[in-house]
Amino acid sequence: DTEVTQTPKHLVMGMTNKKSLKCEQHMGHRAMYWYKQKAKKPPELMFVYSYEKLSINESVPSRFSPECPNSSLLNLHLHALQPEDSALYLCASSRGEEDEAFFGQGTRLTVV
Amino acid sequence: QQQVKQSPQSLIVQKGGISIINCAYENTAFDYFPWYQQFPGKGPALLIAIRPDVSEKKEGRFTISFNKSAKQFSLHIMDSQPGDSATYFCAASKTGANNLFFGTGTRLTVIP
């Protein structure tokens, strides 16, 4: 299994909703990442988990809350988002922080 | 401040031609330089990566050229095919997957 799987593929949510994005990998990778990508822009790093501990938080607003329940799973909890948070949310993983990153297909989030 | 500068923004190449995308960086601490290919609505896929101990790396039709003194690296796609039409991102980091800085992307179109 060489994939990073993200669910759901698409999500539409209201500004008062609470939702979660899920990311899963079974490659034994110990580092996992959340990126945000706006249309026609490069991915921007949000969070880094290394050995299930949060190691980098790139000054992301608290309405985004990451969680790493175990080494294979990474969640991103969303609450009270704004329309400008609409974007493609990408999960990635790597064997270690010094290794190559592999991305999932992303969740296309629309906030209405 | 853009850590990695990428050009051109868009590129049109005839089938069978060579596509060349260039990137430049300032931070001499960077020592990992990957290229990603992204199709619309999909996550970035790692194409090829290089570290500064070599000046060139080739994988199939894809070649990275690296010039440490000029702080530049480029992607060459030989015998470009319509299926190569995608957005290409260069990136750089101090280690590996952790804290990648992406270029702004190049939208490549290969016309038959």
Side-chain angles (χ1 to χ4, degrees):
Chain A
D1 187 349
T2 58
E3 283 190 358
V4 176
T5 304
Q6 289 188 243
T7 55
K9 286 186 169 44
H10 301 274
L11 178 63
V12 180
M13 61 184 290
M15 290 188 284
T16 58
N17 291 160
K18 286 185 181 181
K19 297 285 184 183
S20 296
L21 309 185
K22 181 180 174 182
C23 174
E24 195 166 3
Q25 57 85 16
H26 296 287
M27 296 180 279
H29 289 178
R30 303 315 302 261
M32 297 185 76
Y33 312 83
W34 280 115
Y35 282 83
K36 174 182 177 180
Q37 187 177 25
K38 302 283 276 184
K40 298 186 179 181
K41 297 290 186 183
E44 296 177 355
L45 184 66
M46 300 175 72
F47 302 104
V48 178
Y49 272 85
S50 181
Y51 289 86
E52 300 162 48
K53 295 202 182 314
L54 183 64
S55 64
I56 292 180
N57 175 344
E58 290 288 353
S59 303
V60 179
S62 60
R63 56 186 184 268
F64 296 92
S65 175
E67 178 197 20
C68 190
N70 60 57
S71 60
S72 300
L73 281 175
L74 186 66
N75 298 320
L76 185 63
H77 303 298
L78 314 172
H79 172 55
L81 295 193
Q82 303 297 310
E84 59 264 29
D85 295 321
S86 298
L88 182 68
Y89 287 84
L90 294 162
C91 174
S93 72
S94 62
R95 186 169 51 188
E97 291 186 50
E98 297 186 2
D99 298 297
E100 298 166 328
F102 296 90
F103 284 82
Q105 297 300 291
T107 293
R108 173 71 61 190
L109 174 68
T110 303
V111 181
V112 296
Chain B
Q1 182 184 356
Q2 187 70 31
Q3 296 266 3
V4 180
K5 295 181 180 178
Q6 183 172 346
S7 64
Q9 188 174 358
S10 62
L11 180 61
I12 300 174
V13 173
Q14 291 273 4
K15 178 182 174 182
I18 303 173
S19 303
I20 302 174
I21 305 170
N22 301 300
C23 286
Y25 64 97
E26 287 298 323
N27 191 337
T28 55
F30 287 155
D31 72 348
Y32 174 67
F33 304 90
W35 284 89
Y36 284 88
Q37 178 190 58
Q38 187 174 28
F39 293 103
K42 303 294 185 183
L46 179 66
L47 260 182
I48 186 172
I50 198 168
R51 293 195 185 266
D53 51 344
V54 296
S55 61
E56 185 175 283
K57 183 175 181 180
K58 183 176 181 180
E59 289 185 4
R61 296 185 293 111
F62 301 94
T63 300
I64 298 180
S65 296
F66 183 79
N67 186 329
K68 188 173 181 178
S69 60
K71 292 185 287 187
Q72 294 175 348
F73 58 110
S74 60
L75 176 69
H76 296 234
I77 306 174
M78 311 300 286
D79 187 26
S80 299
Q81 299 296 313
D84 296 331
S85 298
T87 298
Y88 292 81
F89 290 99
C90 64
S93 78
K94 295 178 186 178
T95 51
N98 191 4
N99 213 2
L100 284 168
F101 292 94
F102 283 86
T104 49
T106 297
R107 187 166 185 171
L108 172 66
T109 303
V110 181
I111 52 177

